[in-house]
Amino acid sequence: MWNIAVASANPAKINAVKQCFHSNFPEQAITVTGIAVLSGVPEQPMSSAETLLGAQNRLQALQQQVKADFYVAIEAGLDGDMTFAWMLIAHNGKLGKARSASLMLPPAALKALQQGQELGEVMDQLFGTHNIKQAGGAIGLLTQNRLSRSSVYQQALTLALIPFFNQARF
């Protein structure tokens, strides 16, 4: 049984991790636990570097709080006029990392973000939703539910597993 700890209490992130591990290791029994930890960066990271730092801080805090086989941190943020997320997976001293797909944001959303608001709140205001960041996210809203936050994160998490699929090379 693998114990997988996720540095978040967000159901969309936890579900993405569950789906990723089930898909990539179907024969392996797993438990996935989400634990809210601080990122040490603003709630809405405004650059790729700040977003990566948030993921790194979450991963480190998670590793100090709980014992697990795999540790996963997902941090969403901005990179110019796009939103994306960094994925970090740690296992036995090895680190895998990847970025999710990036998506354009409406100009009104970018303006609100530059004024200090957080993306989930902005999207809720623009689309009349409630707590979208724990559901399909901006990805779901902007693709008219053709993609979800979990589905896009699942792909990026699989990419972050590359060092564990190719252990002799990493």
Side-chain angles (χ1 to χ4, degrees):
M1 170 80 69
W2 284 350
N3 293 310
I4 302 161
V6 181
S8 177
N10 184 318
K13 293 179 180 181
I14 294 166
N15 287 335
V17 172
K18 274 184 198 172
Q19 292 167 1
C20 174
F21 276 82
H22 278 303
S23 172
N24 287 293
F25 305 101
E27 73 292 344
Q28 182 64 51
I30 65 167
T31 59
V32 179
T33 306
I35 300 167
V37 294
L38 297 176
S39 69
V41 299
E43 219 170 291
Q44 181 58 69
M46 298 298 286
S47 70
S48 179
E50 192 171 58
T51 305
L52 178 57
L53 179 60
Q56 291 168 330
N57 290 344
R58 286 185 195 276
L59 190 67
Q60 184 178 23
L62 182 67
Q63 290 173 314
Q64 291 172 352
Q65 283 190 7
V66 66
K67 177 125 177 71
D69 297 297
F70 287 86
Y71 300 90
V72 181
I74 301 171
E75 185 75 11
L78 293 183
D79 191 2
D81 62 352
M82 310 282 271
T83 185
F84 77 102
W86 273 106
M87 313 287 152
L88 300 180
I89 300 176
H91 172 67
N92 288 338
K94 190 174 288 198
L95 179 68
K97 68 180 181 176
R99 279 180 54 142
S100 73
S102 299
L103 61 139
M104 295 173 53
L105 292 172
L110 288 169
K111 184 177 180 181
L113 294 172
Q114 291 164 351
Q115 294 172 351
Q117 290 186 271
E118 188 264 333
L119 182 59
E121 296 166 1
V122 170
M123 297 308 284
D124 282 341
Q125 291 166 6
L126 290 175
F127 286 85
T129 54
H130 176 71
N131 202 16
I132 196 64
K133 72 180 184 178
Q134 293 196 355
I139 295 166
L141 289 173
L142 294 171
T143 64
Q144 298 179 342
N145 294 313
R146 289 173 176 88
L147 297 173
S148 69
R149 190 177 193 190
S150 283
S151 70
V152 170
Y153 284 4
Q154 183 181 347
Q155 287 183 332
L157 286 162
T158 298
L159 295 172
L161 284 170
I162 285 173
F164 309 108
F165 297 145
N166 302 277
Q167 292 193 33
R169 300 195 184 280
F170 285 87

